[in-house]
Amino acid sequence: MLSPLLANKGFRWFFTAQSVSLLGSAMAPVALAFAVLDASGSPGDLGVVLTAYMVPLLVFLVVGGATADRLPRRTLLVAANLGSALTQGGVAALLLTGRYALLPVAALGFVNGVLAAFTTPALRGILPQLVPGDGLRQANALLGSVRNATKILGPSLSGVLVAAMGGGPAIAFDALTYLLAAACLTRLAPLNGPSDKRRSVGLLTDIREGWDAFRRIRWVWTVSLAFCVVNLVQVGTWQILGPELTRQADGEAAWGFVLSARGAGLLVMSALMYRLTVRHLLRLGQLVSVLGALPLLVLGAHLRAPWLIAAAFTAGLGSSVASVGWDTSLQEHVLPHALSRVSSFDDLLSYIAIPVGQLSVAPLADHFGGFQVAAVAGVVYATAVLAPLASAAVRGLPHGAGARAPVTVDAAPTTPPEPVGR
């Protein structure tokens, strides 16, 4: 099933690099959390370290997107992976030598967040340079399978390693995976870089043109806005209220089964997406995204663990379709020289509401009750993901051979195009 895609040497090296890097990245959060808590004894320190990573990731996303459209993406990814290896190696060294201090660990986390802001848009932009257009869905499905498998395997491996040796070795392993990923990426053949005209344009001009491209493509900003609302109500509710509400109903162990069930749903569907062929992939992704509201609604209804586990598995199925559909749609319909910039504005709009939701969910739960907040979050989630289907641009976006031509948008057109629609 996978041999035709992996026969492509460039994709094979990229796939190997991503597999190695994703495993390390899946292990790192567990290792970092326990390492910082063990070394400092303060949950506040962990909050500072996590915030130090998230803030520059959001702030520098659009700069990262513009840079990924200006420079050869292979070079940018190699440099970012080497930089991440140094930052994670620095954190590991501080922990292994018993010299933990909040300021240097937070500073290294800040740098790592900056590097992630450059990596994310480049990763989405490089895939169409490696895979023909008719193979993008399969490539995204295969990468999604690895990503979801590491989400299941990585935390467990990290937990075992932390229990046996401490957080330092696990973070050192993450640093090593970045080095291995960089080595794999150097094996890619040179890819087409920006034109001389593109390199002569200033960075701020590039960012402005990226914003113009983003706002002109109706289906992109419509879906991005919907997931801004989704992340506002879902991330904080799920991450903060979810464990506590599940513990009240069924005990602490149940939450682990819930997370594993969601991961299993993601993995099963990402494998199935390799063979699934539909004419309107974005439309399908939005329709099944509504399944992501089920766990919140089950939490809000105060149902027992078996129902929540089933809902989490079902939500994983829907989220996987939506993820593959979204990445493939962007790669099929946005011109390569603007893809990283458009992606960066999509990511920024989608993620910027997460801290707001995380900070507000606890006060809301104190005032209205946790189960009530979860139920309302589920209703808002379902409404938000279905709302973009009111747009013909979302419903009618084609997928597959010949999909690109009717809906491409140049980052700097002579005459502004009409918004995408049918």
Side-chain angles (χ1 to χ4, degrees):
M1 178 180 71
L2 303 180
S3 56
L5 198 56
L6 292 178
N8 178 332
K9 182 180 178 181
F11 177 76
R12 187 166 65 247
W13 281 112
F14 179 74
F15 174 76
T16 304
Q18 279 294 94
S19 300
V20 172
S21 179
L22 287 168
L23 178 60
S25 297
M27 294 175 64
V30 174
L32 182 65
F34 284 110
V36 171
L37 290 172
D38 288 344
S40 67
S42 169
D45 275 24
L46 180 58
V48 170
V49 171
L50 295 178
T51 302
Y53 172 86
M54 179 58 69
V55 169
L57 173 60
L58 293 175
V59 170
F60 287 96
L61 259 175
V62 295
V63 178
T67 304
D69 281 338
R70 292 171 66 87
L71 301 177
R73 293 182 177 113
R74 183 190 70 162
T75 302
L76 182 61
L77 287 171
V78 170
N81 275 275
L82 290 175
S84 296
L86 289 175
T87 57
Q88 290 297 79
V91 174
L94 290 171
L95 295 170
L96 290 170
T97 58
R99 296 181 179 177
Y100 167 85
L102 177 59
L103 182 58
V105 172
L108 289 167
F110 183 93
V111 176
N112 210 23
V114 174
L115 292 169
F118 285 79
T119 302
T120 304
L123 284 173
R124 190 176 274 157
I126 199 174
L127 193 59
Q129 295 181 277
L130 300 171
V131 178
D134 57 358
L136 283 171
R137 174 178 50 80
Q138 292 93 334
N140 281 312
L142 183 55
L143 290 166
S145 296
V146 173
R147 182 181 303 109
N148 295 325
T150 60
K151 287 180 180 179
I152 299 172
L153 181 62
S156 300
L157 286 176
S158 184
V160 172
L161 190 56
V162 169
M165 304 175 64
I171 295 175
F173 177 80
D174 187 34
L176 177 61
T177 64
Y178 280 116
L179 282 176
L180 293 174
C184 291
L185 291 169
T186 61
R187 301 299 301 271
L188 297 179
L191 303 171
N192 293 333
S195 64
D196 292 338
K197 180 180 179 181
R198 172 56 51 205
R199 287 193 295 266
S200 67
V201 174
L203 181 64
L204 291 178
T205 300
D206 258 353
I207 293 174
R208 184 173 64 251
E209 290 176 353
W211 168 249
D212 289 340
F214 173 81
R215 67 182 179 83
R216 286 191 182 102
I217 312 176
R218 180 179 296 173
W219 62 267
V220 172
W221 63 256
T222 300
V223 176
S224 297
L225 184 60
F227 276 92
C228 177
V229 176
V230 166
N231 286 328
L232 175 67
V233 300
Q234 192 266 349
V235 176
T237 305
W238 186 247
Q239 292 182 346
I240 296 171
L241 292 186
E244 175 59 22
L245 297 181
T246 304
R247 185 189 64 80
Q248 292 179 25
D250 295 281
E252 296 176 353
W255 184 244
F257 291 111
V258 170
L259 295 182
S260 295
R262 186 178 187 278
L266 287 165
L267 180 58
V268 168
M269 183 53 73
S270 58
L272 293 176
M273 286 295 292
Y274 188 89
R275 288 192 174 275
L276 180 67
T277 302
V278 296
R279 177 58 179 159
H280 299 286
L281 187 56
L282 183 62
R283 180 200 299 174
L284 176 64
Q286 288 305 118
L287 281 171
V288 299
S289 290
V290 75
L291 299 176
L294 288 178
L296 297 176
L297 295 172
V298 170
L299 276 176
H302 207 165
L303 299 179
R304 300 301 299 269
W307 289 99
L308 185 56
I309 291 170
F313 178 81
T314 306
L317 297 176
S319 296
S320 188
V321 177
S323 176
V324 173
W326 181 244
D327 285 344
T328 303
S329 297
L330 285 173
Q331 292 157 354
E332 285 183 338
H333 294 284
V334 179
L335 286 174
H337 74 263
L339 179 54
S340 291
R341 281 172 289 168
V342 171
S343 297
S344 68
F345 280 105
D346 160 48
D347 288 337
L348 179 61
L349 181 57
S350 298
Y351 298 158
I352 199 167
I354 291 178
V356 178
Q358 290 173 323
L359 291 172
S360 60
V361 69
L364 288 172
D366 289 340
H367 189 271
F368 296 104
F371 293 103
Q372 289 79 0
V373 169
V376 171
V379 173
V380 174
Y381 184 120
T383 304
V385 295
L386 292 177
L389 292 171
S391 168
V394 175
R395 296 195 310 274
L397 190 75
H399 161 62
R404 179 187 293 276
V407 288
T408 46
V409 174
D410 195 320
T414 303
T415 303
E418 292 297 318
V420 178
R422 301 195 90 191

